[in-house]
Amino acid sequence: MTSIKQGTVSVVVPMYNVAATLEQCLASIESQTYANLQIICMNDGSTDDTARIAGAHAARDARIVVVNKTNEGYGATMNRGIAAAEGTWIAIVEPDDYLDTTAFEQLVACAEAVSTSSGKVVDVVRCAYWRVFGEAGGETRAACPYLHRVKPATQPFAVGDGIELLLHHPAIWAGMYRREYLEQAGIRFNEVPGSGWTDNPFLVQTLCGAGVGIAYVDEPLYYYREHDFNDAEALAKKSPLTPLTRWNEMMDAACALGVDDDHVLDALALRGVNYATITVSAAGMEADGVHDLVERSMERLDPARVFAIPALSGNAKAMFAQVRGIEVPAENKAARVRYLAREAAYRVRVNGLGFVAQNVKRRLNRL
């Protein structure tokens, strides 16, 4: 491995049985126009061809190091990768995914420009991403839900001024983090079996902990391969307690950081009620441990805040009210209609009417 220079981006690639997509992933990292990289391939006990593919890339590129270890799960694997990182920045690239060739060039340039112009330290740089569906040769893509919607008045900014970053998929891989910031703040992944949605609390720790230290590039620089429109529901059926357990860890992180921004608290409330709704719908309230976890989770939320969120459906609010043993107030139907109209207009604008129509059809087919 080459010596580590100032400005190096340490790229952590957590791998487990990803032979089918690893070639494309690593090639996209190796071909970056920003060449000052340390590429750390963490093989979490794969039983397929993953180790051989990664080893072949390492033999050709001195920037790559492969760590082969027994299976520990995503959180422990990421923590080992972060501990091995020596660069100024840490980035995460999932082995299913791939990058725009200019991704790190643009992210580093943004961080440096914002820091120079503002005189403030940038701890987190985020970007937009593409959602990729289908297999190679027949892929379609759609913009992430926050492209062109993160519009802080100035940069760097606090997450409350770019709240769209907290409202959707955690997308912790769409950007990079200053290594010293993660170390000084003690930010690491929760170590649980499997993947376990450990990106959720990491999202809150990094974005809320950064204070006024976030920068943003409004370009889709990351290609996220989305295998299933219903990933959340599938996980809730398989592991009913996982979504709300991770959400409670998000809330714990926000409390520990003293978060009091209403935008952030609204975003966390929205996610919590949605996770509870998904859990109950997928697994049922009678599944082991679900009732108690849903009840304890919803007790953490202020009813007035929940009922005022137009992004929550009437069914979600009814579920919350039932769990809390309270009545649902009269719905502000105008606010709900305005919200749905804005969302529909946005999706048509960024993805086109055809993709939106296909998505609606998929949802209807699930009913």
Side-chain angles (χ1 to χ4, degrees), residues 15-172:
M15 308 181 305
Y16 178 70
N17 288 351
V18 288
T21 55
L22 188 57
E23 286 280 4
Q24 182 184 32
C25 172
L26 293 180
S28 77
I29 300 172
E30 293 164 334
S31 62
Q32 287 293 297
T33 54
Y34 189 85
N36 191 9
L37 305 176
Q38 175 194 23
I39 306 168
I40 306 168
C41 294
M42 300 296 303
N43 180 27
D44 190 30
S46 296
T47 57
D48 66 356
D49 223 15
T50 293
R52 184 197 62 79
I53 294 170
H57 279 262
R60 299 191 298 265
D61 192 328
R63 298 173 299 175
I64 298 177
V65 59
V66 180
V67 178
N68 294 305
K69 63 183 189 62
T70 58
N71 184 264
E72 298 175 292
Y74 183 89
T77 300
M78 280 303 308
N79 287 341
R80 286 181 180 269
I82 291 172
E86 300 176 27
T88 303
W89 298 97
I90 292 178
I92 303 165
V93 179
E94 300 290 345
D96 290 348
D97 307 336
Y98 54 100
L99 301 170
D100 183 283
T101 56
T102 67
F104 293 133
E105 180 180 0
Q106 291 200 52
L107 289 168
V108 171
C110 173
E112 292 179 348
V114 168
S115 180
T116 299
S117 63
S118 67
K120 299 177 181 178
V121 175
V122 172
D123 290 322
V124 179
V125 189
R126 289 289 302 264
C127 65
Y129 64 93
W130 291 113
R131 301 167 63 201
V132 179
F133 306 92
E135 302 301 325
E139 293 180 349
T140 60
R141 69 186 187 191
C144 71
Y146 59 78
L147 179 66
H148 306 327
R149 297 176 108 177
V150 179
K151 298 178 179 180
T154 59
Q155 295 212 56
F157 59 96
V159 69
D161 295 321
I163 198 58
E164 292 288 338
L165 295 174
L166 271 183
L167 287 173
H168 308 287
H169 189 295
I172 60 172

Side-chain angles (χ1 to χ4, degrees), residues 111-337:
E112 292 179 348
V114 168
S115 180
T116 299
S117 63
S118 67
K120 299 177 181 178
V121 175
V122 172
D123 290 322
V124 179
V125 189
R126 289 289 302 264
C127 65
Y129 64 93
W130 291 113
R131 301 167 63 201
V132 179
F133 306 92
E135 302 301 325
E139 293 180 349
T140 60
R141 69 186 187 191
C144 71
Y146 59 78
L147 179 66
H148 306 327
R149 297 176 108 177
V150 179
K151 298 178 179 180
T154 59
Q155 295 212 56
F157 59 96
V159 69
D161 295 321
I163 198 58
E164 292 288 338
L165 295 174
L166 271 183
L167 287 173
H168 308 287
H169 189 295
I172 60 172
W173 23 256
M176 60 186 193
Y177 310 88
R178 192 166 60 87
R179 180 172 61 86
E180 288 186 357
Y181 163 58
L182 297 184
E183 290 180 349
Q184 291 169 0
I187 297 174
R188 289 294 186 270
F189 286 83
N190 293 341
E191 299 190 4
V192 299
S195 57
W197 282 18
T198 54
D199 52 353
N200 281 254
F202 186 84
L203 175 74
V204 171
Q205 290 177 310
T206 52
L207 293 187
C208 295
V212 187
I214 304 170
Y216 175 70
V217 179
D218 196 29
E219 295 287 342
L221 302 177
Y222 190 101
Y223 290 76
Y224 167 59
R225 198 180 299 279
E226 198 159 332
H227 298 287
D228 189 342
F229 279 93
N230 309 315
D231 281 345
E233 290 86 348
L235 176 98
K237 286 182 179 180
K238 181 180 178 181
S239 180
L241 305 185
T242 294
L244 278 176
T245 298
R246 296 291 90 78
W247 176 80
N248 275 280
E249 291 166 359
M250 297 176 85
M251 291 292 287
D252 292 343
C255 290
L257 290 166
V259 171
D260 59 3
D261 186 309
D262 281 331
H263 296 300
V264 175
L265 296 176
D266 284 350
L268 290 171
L270 172 64
R271 191 179 294 267
V273 176
N274 279 338
Y275 281 9
T277 303
I278 290 169
T279 298
V280 173
S281 175
M285 195 69 87
E286 298 77 23
D288 286 348
V290 167
H291 182 275
D292 288 345
L293 180 57
V294 170
E295 189 172 65
R296 284 189 285 108
S297 300
M298 297 302 95
E299 285 289 341
R300 301 188 73 165
L301 296 174
D302 175 6
R305 183 181 299 280
V306 170
F307 293 135
I309 298 175
L312 281 173
S313 69
N315 288 339
K317 291 177 179 178
M319 182 280 302
F320 172 80
Q322 182 178 7
V323 171
R324 292 292 302 268
I326 57 179
E327 292 186 4
V328 181
E331 183 179 8
N332 186 338
K333 293 183 179 180
R336 176 67 176 168
V337 168

